[in-house]
Amino acid sequence: MRARPLLAVLAALASGAAGCTSEDARGPAPAAPLPASDAGAGATAAPSLAATAQAGDPARGERLVAELQCNRCHDGTGHAPAARDAHCVQCHQDIAAGRFQAPAAAMKRWNENLVQLRDVPSLAAAGDRLRRDWIRGFLLSPHDVRPRLHATMPRLAIGPEQASDIAAYLTRERRERPAASLEGASAARGRELYEAKGCGTCHAFTGTAGLTAVAPVKGMEKETRAAIALAPDLRHARDRMETADLVAWVLDPGAIKPGTPMPQVPMSPAEARDIAAFIVTAELSPRAPASAPERLPLLSRRVTYAEVDRRVFRVTCRHCHSEPDYALGDGGPGNTGGFGFKPRGLNLATYEGIAAGYVDDHGERRSVFSRGPDGAPRLVAALLARQAEEAGRADPAVRGMPLGLPAVGPEEIQLVESWIAQGRPQ
């Protein structure tokens, strides 16, 4: 289970009220994209209405990227970076670099625990690297592409049409490359080159048996740390990239995306084709079915707000659901709105704020402790939903929290649920 370190000052990819329901969505509940291998073979020559819709509108996509505030985390959006007090990643980078203006003791404490959102992939040159249909499917059904990066893409309140528009915008300036054939390339030689050139230093390649384990890099200087954190699991490469793009990327990544932390490893064009052949043809073992942790029974001992605040709310929740004077910013998107979500006025920084609940679509205050059809309090349901999302079972009616960050552990959920069951003592 991933650690839950104390996040630093600003919001970390959050949304509206805990356990957002389908009333928050902009369109129909996203459906998981159909894998290419499952698609039918009998495509017609004339484009269908569905195919036309999937092509997307770049102009609408540009507006959506601005509305969804992608620039609060990502560079390369085509929009100016978010203001400093709303830029989640820049805030954390400033803390790590010692540029943030705060007491020395606080800076030391934050840096000891600062793991989340120090590195986020830039969207620059996305069209030269990623398939449009893959981007669309990923937006609708985010999953963990970078196993050494704590944060993941959040599940936004968008439908298929909006995802198509965003994908069209991000790939609007794609440079066309001649189709690349791997005929004559040697996947066996590519595997040898993959290991000899140390690709596994940064990249995982799950599902591929027998790769030589690579010792962790000890230096961990800024560039190396970023490269390792941002390196995708290569089992996804055959779905994410066209063959020609993969070959070009392996040969000279900086020529495609200037500033990328992936280094240019000396090799010939033939060697790049061999490595690409290994990546796209290596036999992959099936993924083991994922499951959410077992839900623990209520505690019999007394649980106070102070304990829940120290172990749960203060660790993650406050940084998206708080007042501006606490967050030193806008109060977090879970309170004042952001990432395309409406302001919900949910302040988890104080006992009184939690008791006040959130604002629904009709402007009415609702309790985060009210119980849903399964009997779980709304706040608990949101935490459980995030565990289910990590197991690949997103609930269209409940948005898991914390959004885009590792799920809260079963012991912490047990603590929250026990506190609520005991009448929420202070």
Side-chain angles (χ1 to χ4, degrees):
M1 183 179 300
R2 292 171 173 169
R4 306 309 190 268
L6 172 66
L7 292 183
V9 182
L10 285 181
L13 292 176
S15 74
C20 296
T21 63
S22 56
E23 69 186 5
D24 302 313
R26 301 174 175 278
L34 185 66
S37 59
D38 296 335
T44 59
S48 66
L49 290 176
T52 302
Q54 287 193 15
D57 182 327
R60 286 200 304 261
E62 181 177 16
R63 292 192 295 271
L64 280 167
V65 166
E67 181 181 344
L68 297 170
Q69 297 179 317
C70 302
N71 62 345
R72 289 184 72 159
C73 295
H74 294 285
D75 292 332
T77 65
H79 297 277
R84 186 181 182 278
D85 66 353
H87 200 303
C88 307
V89 177
Q90 185 62 58
C91 173
H92 288 200
Q93 291 174 343
D94 285 350
I95 291 170
R99 296 188 295 264
F100 196 88
Q101 298 301 311
M107 289 284 286
K108 181 177 184 298
R109 185 175 71 254
W110 292 340
N111 269 301
E112 287 174 349
N113 297 284
L114 184 57
V115 175
Q116 315 280 19
L117 293 176
R118 292 178 63 178
D119 303 292
V120 174
S122 169
L123 300 180
D128 290 331
R129 298 176 288 118
L130 303 175
R131 289 177 169 147
R132 180 179 295 190
D133 60 343
W134 183 86
I135 296 175
R136 177 184 183 275
F138 181 70
L139 289 171
L140 292 175
S141 183
H143 53 275
D144 194 357
V145 173
R146 295 174 169 81
R148 297 185 177 104
L149 196 65
H150 283 75
T152 59
M153 179 69 193
R155 187 163 67 94
L156 300 172
I158 59 175
E161 184 177 353
Q162 291 96 333
S164 295
D165 292 341
I166 294 170
Y169 169 66
L170 294 178
T171 58
R172 68 198 182 282
E173 295 179 350
R174 172 179 173 79
R175 68 183 110 176
E176 294 300 328
R177 294 187 178 90
S181 169
L182 295 179
E183 184 177 356
S186 169
R189 175 61 177 158
R191 182 184 181 114
E192 294 173 359
L193 289 166
Y194 177 93
E195 297 197 279
K197 295 183 179 295
C199 303
T201 302
C202 297
H203 289 282
F205 198 169
T206 59
T208 306
L211 287 176
T212 302
V214 177
V217 176
K218 294 182 179 180
M220 291 302 287
E221 59 272 5
K222 177 182 177 182
E223 293 76 10
T224 303
R225 176 187 53 75
I228 292 173
L230 294 173
D233 183 343
L234 294 178
R235 79 173 293 138
H236 304 294
R238 62 191 67 181
D239 298 321
R240 299 174 78 225
M241 306 181 75
E242 300 287 354
T243 301
D245 298 337
L246 178 58
V247 173
W249 178 260
V250 169
L251 191 61
D252 189 359
I256 297 172
K257 183 183 178 183
T260 176
M262 178 165 168
Q264 181 180 10
V265 179
M267 69 180 73
S268 68
E271 289 176 323
R273 291 176 67 249
D274 288 342
I275 292 175
F278 167 58
I279 292 173
V280 301
T281 65
E283 183 177 351
L284 301 178
S285 61
R287 285 185 176 276
S291 60
E294 182 179 353
R295 189 170 172 182
L296 300 178
L298 295 176
L299 293 168
S300 57
R301 67 171 179 83
R302 179 176 170 81
V303 179
T304 65
Y305 166 73
E307 183 181 5
V308 177
D309 182 56
R310 175 175 54 83
R311 291 182 54 186
V312 184
F313 297 147
R314 187 184 297 269
V315 174
T316 298
C317 308
R318 281 191 179 189
H319 305 280
C320 301
H321 298 274
S322 62
E323 293 292 350
D325 58 351
Y326 172 81
L328 303 182
D330 63 3
N335 187 351
T336 54
F339 299 111
F341 294 97
K342 299 175 182 179
R344 295 299 182 183
L346 179 59
N347 174 20
L348 299 181
T350 67
Y351 184 89
E352 295 74 17
I354 298 170
Y358 71 99
V359 178
D360 68 12
D361 281 346
H362 306 291
E364 299 290 336
R365 280 276 167 186
R366 302 290 182 185
S367 173
V368 295
F369 307 122
S370 61
R371 298 185 180 274
D374 64 350
R378 190 176 180 88
L379 179 58
V380 173
L383 300 177
L384 293 171
R386 182 61 184 145
Q387 290 185 338
E389 287 173 358
E390 289 189 338
R393 299 191 308 277
D395 184 346
V398 182
R399 200 166 305 281
M401 294 290 156
L403 189 72
L405 292 175
V408 173
E411 294 83 5
E412 287 75 22
I413 295 178
Q414 177 190 44
L415 197 69
V416 174
E417 192 166 13
S418 300
W419 172 64
I420 295 171
Q422 293 176 19
R424 310 187 297 278
Q426 292 197 19

